[in-house]
Amino acid sequence: MEHLDAFKCKSDYHTVYSVDMDHIVQNIDNYQFNSIAVDPSVEIEEGLLEFTSDEHPISIGHDYVFKNYLGIDSKYYEANKKAMDKYLLEIAKRVQTPGLYVDIRLINDKLKKALMENKEIKALFIGQERVR
């Protein structure tokens, strides 16, 4: 299967923007993520459309699977785990979205607790499990 860079594939069905985590945290009131995903990708007719890469390790955008998403490249996450966990903790405390899916690979005890304490999130999915 061919791997396609979403940044190079213009479409009416998805948007993708490269951002940094400082921007996300500083402007969290402007975002209502439905998904925080690791290596988000969608299989389309032409191949596997990937929303993160080495060039674009953090992305935001909209598509028909993840809706409004924050995408994180897994290699980038592992290489910057300590800093990324701090950013994700801040996002979990402050995000104001009625429904949120968080990739299980990002979850630790502090992040799960912050997500559970955020009363703005009415429906919370961690991995495949609905926790609220």
Side-chain angles (χ1 to χ4, degrees), residues 15-28:
T15 59
V16 61
Y17 306 97
S18 191
V19 295
D20 64 50
M21 293 301 283
D22 281 328
H23 172 81
I24 296 295
V25 170
Q26 291 170 6
N27 296 285
I28 193 65

Side-chain angles (χ1 to χ4, degrees), residues 13-15 41-42 49 51 61-69:
Y13 301 104
H14 77 268
T15 59
S41 61
V42 175
L49 186 62
F51 295 96
H62 183 84
D63 83 296
Y64 63 93
V65 173
F66 299 104
K67 307 297 181 229
N68 293 321
Y69 68 87

Side-chain angles (χ1 to χ4, degrees), residues 20-106:
D20 64 50
M21 293 301 283
D22 281 328
H23 172 81
I24 296 295
V25 170
Q26 291 170 6
N27 296 285
I28 193 65
D29 293 341
N30 297 329
Y31 296 104
Q32 288 200 0
F33 300 117
N34 299 102
S35 303
I36 301 176
V38 175
D39 296 331
S41 61
V42 175
E43 190 173 329
I44 59 174
E45 188 175 314
E46 296 84 359
L48 189 64
L49 186 62
E50 299 173 329
F51 295 96
T52 60
S53 65
D54 291 341
E55 280 183 61
H56 306 284
I58 308 294
S59 69
I60 59 171
H62 183 84
D63 83 296
Y64 63 93
V65 173
F66 299 104
K67 307 297 181 229
N68 293 321
Y69 68 87
L70 168 61
I72 302 169
D73 179 77
S74 60
K75 292 179 278 185
Y76 182 84
Y77 175 75
E78 288 302 323
N80 300 281
K81 189 171 180 14
K82 189 174 181 179
M84 289 298 294
D85 284 347
K86 286 182 182 179
Y87 284 125
L88 290 169
L89 185 59
E90 190 63 29
I91 290 168
K93 290 176 181 178
R94 296 178 41 215
V95 70
Q96 296 183 23
T97 184
L100 182 65
Y101 160 84
V102 181
D103 193 298
I104 191 73
R105 294 173 280 181
L106 300 172

